[in-house]
Amino acid sequence: MKLSTPLLYSGNPREAADQVVGLEKAGLDTVWVAEAYGFDSPTLMGYLAAKTETIEIGAGILNVFSRTPSALLQTAAGLDNVSGGRAVIGLGASGPQVIEGFHGLPYDRPLGRTREVIQILRQGLRRERLEHQGKIFTLPLPADQGLGLGKPLKILTKVERNTIPIWVASLGDNNVAMTAEVADGWLPFLFLPEKATTVWGDALAKGTAKRSADLAPLEISAGGMVAIGEGPETKALLDFMRPMYALYVGGMGARGKNFYNELACHYGYEKEAKQIQDLYLDGNKRDAEALVPTEWLEAGNLVGPASYVQERIAAFREAGVTNLQISPVSDDPVATVAQIKEWVS
């Protein structure tokens, strides 16, 4: 099992990026760089490439709407070059609030768009001329939609690798099935190991049945906060996760269109999901946070005595996780990473 962490920062991301050097030496395998509607992730990934030597540098995630497939190809190839073959490209559909609100683009056919982007990316990395006739993208552009001067082109520069791992962030059944069919890895969110098979088992099996024999088995990266210690003061650290869970379940979207709220319902927390959303959207964020099920927090994170943390690692492994994603909460995160690395090896 590999070990990874999301790049967490408030304010200046360079400070967080500089800390990755120590985590790399402690055995961290992958760092994931998000962008949402803040700093773009490729810039920070390039900075990390210059600061590190061995760690995989993953986009977690680039949305498939705001960049053309060919722009994503250029980004993937460029990052893989400056990192010496350490890039991992995480893709996702994001959500309508970001895509339509921040980027001003219609949130249209996210699954088909993701599938075609992956096809074009892989074609381009093989340095083939980009010719694609899809339901969403057509390369080159048809003559009746432009000047008629477009011609098939291949990426101009020599690529570091002709295949780069492509991961997809997905939650819904159809999206997860598509991920299991065509992606190299899967990035689920707010993952609860003991309920993963119940929620996603059929979708994963459906996609896997269509998976090309040319692809290795699907990788999965999931995890949560890590704090190792005895006593109630350690368990109390789980409360730090309440605002994030409440934000996603309650405020990340609208009533009737919130993927994370639907996920909470699939986990069996229908009553709590509705109450959290109602409270959050009405401005009662603290009350919403208090209703996040402690059971979910405990199972989705790795907080407690060493023996309990090891049990949680085993649960994530049993659920199919191949890359344990952790956010250390300690005075010495390097030591925490080193300890977890020993346990997952």
Side-chain angles (χ1 to χ4, degrees), residues 82-149:
V82 297
S83 66
R86 293 184 284 135
V88 178
I89 301 303
L91 301 173
S94 185
Q97 286 72 29
V98 172
I99 300 306
E100 297 188 355
F102 189 71
H103 294 290
L105 298 168
Y107 194 75
D108 181 42
R109 295 178 289 180
L111 271 68
R113 183 178 295 268
T114 303
R115 182 185 288 272
E116 291 191 30
V117 164
I118 292 173
Q119 292 171 349
I120 295 168
L121 264 176
R122 288 189 172 137
Q123 183 182 2
L125 287 169
R126 294 192 297 267
R127 298 201 73 215
E128 298 174 3
R129 296 188 185 279
L130 293 184
E131 296 183 87
H132 179 85
Q133 305 293 321
K135 294 181 179 179
I136 298 172
F137 299 105
T138 301
L139 296 174
L141 189 70
D144 62 354
Q145 295 182 29
L147 298 178
L149 300 177

Side-chain angles (χ1 to χ4, degrees), residues 22-37:
L23 301 179
E24 177 184 52
K25 293 177 180 177
L28 194 71
D29 297 292
T30 313
V31 59
W32 298 102
V33 185
E35 67 176 19
Y37 47 100

Side-chain angles (χ1 to χ4, degrees), residues 45-266:
M45 292 172 70
Y47 182 80
L48 281 166
K51 302 286 287 188
T52 58
E53 297 178 358
T54 61
I55 198 169
E56 292 178 328
I57 304 169
I61 59 164
L62 302 173
N63 78 73
V64 294
F65 288 90
S66 61
R67 297 174 177 91
T68 67
S70 298
L72 286 168
L73 166 63
Q74 291 177 293
T75 296
L79 287 170
D80 208 43
N81 177 267
V82 297
S83 66
R86 293 184 284 135
V88 178
I89 301 303
L91 301 173
S94 185
Q97 286 72 29
V98 172
I99 300 306
E100 297 188 355
F102 189 71
H103 294 290
L105 298 168
Y107 194 75
D108 181 42
R109 295 178 289 180
L111 271 68
R113 183 178 295 268
T114 303
R115 182 185 288 272
E116 291 191 30
V117 164
I118 292 173
Q119 292 171 349
I120 295 168
L121 264 176
R122 288 189 172 137
Q123 183 182 2
L125 287 169
R126 294 192 297 267
R127 298 201 73 215
E128 298 174 3
R129 296 188 185 279
L130 293 184
E131 296 183 87
H132 179 85
Q133 305 293 321
K135 294 181 179 179
I136 298 172
F137 299 105
T138 301
L139 296 174
L141 189 70
D144 62 354
Q145 295 182 29
L147 298 178
L149 300 177
K151 62 179 182 179
L153 298 173
K154 64 181 179 181
I155 190 169
L156 184 64
T157 45
K158 183 179 179 181
V159 297
E160 188 77 15
R161 293 180 293 175
N162 60 13
T163 59
I164 296 175
I166 298 174
W167 291 58
V168 174
S170 54
L171 291 176
D173 285 350
N174 291 336
N175 205 353
V176 170
M178 184 271 296
T179 301
E181 179 186 349
V182 303
D184 296 293
W186 176 37
L187 290 163
F189 190 55
L190 302 179
F191 191 80
L192 205 167
E194 282 80 1
K195 297 187 179 182
T197 299
T198 301
V199 175
W200 292 300
D202 290 345
L204 289 169
K206 180 180 178 181
T208 300
K210 299 178 181 179
R211 191 174 179 84
S212 170
D214 294 334
L215 293 174
L218 184 72
E219 299 282 334
I220 302 175
S221 181
M225 184 174 76
V226 173
I228 307 168
E230 304 285 341
E233 63 275 9
T234 299
K235 282 291 186 184
L237 294 173
L238 284 169
D239 288 337
F240 287 119
M241 299 299 291
R242 290 186 180 276
M244 185 190 74
Y245 278 59
L247 166 64
Y248 280 89
V249 174
M252 195 63 73
R255 289 183 177 89
K257 195 66 175 179
N258 181 323
F259 307 127
Y260 310 101
N261 191 278
E262 293 173 13
L263 175 61
C265 292
H266 289 319

